[in-house]
Amino acid sequence: MIKAVIFDLDGTLIDTEKYFRINWPKAFEHFGYKMTDEQYLSIRSLGKPFVQKTLKEYSGDPNFDYDKVVAYRSELMEESLAKNGLETKKGAEELLSFLKEKGIICAIATASPVDRSERYLKTAGIFSYFDRIISARNMKEGKPSPDVYEYAVKELNLKPEECFAVEDSPNGILSASRAGLKVIMVPDQAPCEEYVKDLLFAEVSDLSEIKQYI
């Protein structure tokens, strides 16, 4: 019996990954580097220690300044969201309302900082549905390592098999699967990659379809 649903945030609950897809390459270009679309897709949900190393490799610069590049990308993201607004992914409110009616715990496990996650959820009008927000920034590694999901399950005082993880990227799927959770994928920026398909409990086209598994 499922007692909790733990959601990734960007690209899963809120429609922000399409802006990251634009602004990561822009930030790289601003500092004289180049990021391909394939490279962007590979860093979705990636924990900070992993993304620092990966971006340095992509830049080809031994003196790559991660903090400076991320700060500029954050500026670009704020501009994008101020111009276009912040929307939830299809079926989000329908699913969250359903889970609340059923008394099922809802939590967030994200690579984003807690303060930004809270702000996004409040702006999107869905903050009140969540019992906990767990940020991988407070973990040793973050996704695709299992630590963020292991910590989330422990904090909720549940067993991994009592929880669904809802993810949109391979790094998130690997993290949740390695922690022993049942993983449901809602593809966002790309179809499900073959190497993680066998790790999925289910794949759905929008969040409302998850109701059938509760």
Side-chain angles (χ1 to χ4, degrees), residues 13-14 88 93 96 100 106 108 114-133:
L13 275 172
I14 53 175
T88 57
E93 291 192 61
L96 292 169
K100 188 173 183 178
C106 290
I108 299 286
V114 171
D115 58 346
R116 189 173 79 198
S117 300
E118 288 185 357
R119 178 162 57 88
Y120 282 4
L121 290 168
K122 288 175 180 176
T123 301
I126 57 174
F127 177 77
S128 62
Y129 288 106
F130 294 94
D131 300 279
R132 288 298 305 272
I133 298 175

Side-chain angles (χ1 to χ4, degrees), residues 107-179:
I108 299 286
T110 177
S112 296
V114 171
D115 58 346
R116 189 173 79 198
S117 300
E118 288 185 357
R119 178 162 57 88
Y120 282 4
L121 290 168
K122 288 175 180 176
T123 301
I126 57 174
F127 177 77
S128 62
Y129 288 106
F130 294 94
D131 300 279
R132 288 298 305 272
I133 298 175
I134 308 295
S135 172
R137 296 294 177 92
N138 301 320
M139 304 296 116
K140 182 179 180 180
E141 294 186 322
K143 303 173 185 178
S145 293
D147 53 4
V148 64
Y149 275 105
E150 289 173 344
Y151 182 82
V153 170
K154 183 178 178 181
E155 286 292 292
L156 297 175
N157 197 28
L158 294 173
K159 299 174 182 177
E161 59 268 25
E162 295 176 318
C163 304
F164 275 148
V166 184
E167 284 281 354
D168 71 304
S169 71
N171 290 316
I173 291 167
L174 287 168
S175 176
S177 177
R178 287 166 176 170

